[in-house]
Amino acid sequence: MKMRQEYTCPLEIVHDIVKGKWKTIIVFQLRKGNKSFSELEHEIEGVSQKMLLQQLKELREFNLIDKISTDGYPLHVEYFLTERGKKLLQAVDIMQEIGIEYMIEHGQTDILDRKGICCYKDISTKK
């Protein structure tokens, strides 16, 4: 991804780093630890291999994730959050909560149930 040369505030930089449909979802999927490419592809509904590879590459360029490759056949690669990625995860967790609240308000709990997001009942009772 090509970054602009000039920014007016730090949020513009972060926006450029995470913009796109998949980056925050990838960061969220890595919240519990290392994942292989195939695990990420399986867990992220609708992402193509090409797009996942591109997004992983960009996240690595900005030091949000990194990867470990093990020797041997077949080659095994696992992706994980860096310290900067863990900081971003805190913001992504908040974004997830906001999304859950919105879905509850609009009667979309069937989607939350299908995704196995079982804690949404706790969020709806916090109000």
Side-chain angles (χ1 to χ4, degrees):
M1 168 194 276
K2 185 173 178 168
M3 293 292 286
R4 292 181 274 165
Q5 294 298 315
E6 293 185 31
Y7 289 92
T8 60
C9 78
L11 285 175
E12 282 185 288
I13 297 169
V14 175
H15 177 267
D16 280 359
I17 290 171
V18 299
K19 72 181 172 186
K21 182 176 180 178
W22 305 110
K23 289 183 185 137
T24 54
I25 295 171
I26 292 167
V27 168
F28 188 75
Q29 289 298 325
L30 292 172
R31 73 193 181 282
K32 293 184 181 176
N34 298 6
K35 300 243 178 177
S36 68
F37 179 85
S38 61
E39 287 173 315
L40 289 169
E41 183 182 25
H42 176 74
E43 293 173 3
I44 302 173
E45 191 174 320
V47 70
S48 68
Q49 284 186 353
K50 180 180 177 182
M51 183 56 68
L52 182 56
L53 282 169
Q54 178 183 336
Q55 300 296 285
L56 289 168
K57 179 180 181 243
E58 290 177 14
L59 288 167
R60 285 191 70 219
E61 287 174 2
F62 295 113
N63 194 30
L64 293 168
I65 68 167
D66 207 349
K67 68 180 183 178
I68 302 168
S69 301
T70 57
D71 292 334
Y73 183 81
L75 179 65
H76 184 76
V77 176
E78 289 188 344
Y79 295 90
F80 63 93
L81 293 174
T82 62
E83 289 305 311
R84 181 179 291 162
K86 290 175 185 175
K87 285 182 185 177
L88 180 62
L89 177 61
Q90 294 172 3
V92 171
D93 282 338
I94 293 167
M95 293 164 58
Q96 171 85 342
E97 283 184 29
I98 292 168
I100 290 169
E101 289 171 3
Y102 183 89
M103 293 177 88
I104 291 168
E105 291 167 7
H106 291 85
Q108 299 174 333
T109 56
D110 56 322
I111 297 169
L112 298 173
D113 290 335
R114 187 174 40 122
K115 293 281 190 181
I117 301 172
C118 58
C119 60
Y120 72 85
K121 293 173 179 87
D122 297 334
I123 291 172
S124 63
T125 59
K126 286 183 183 177
K127 295 178 182 174

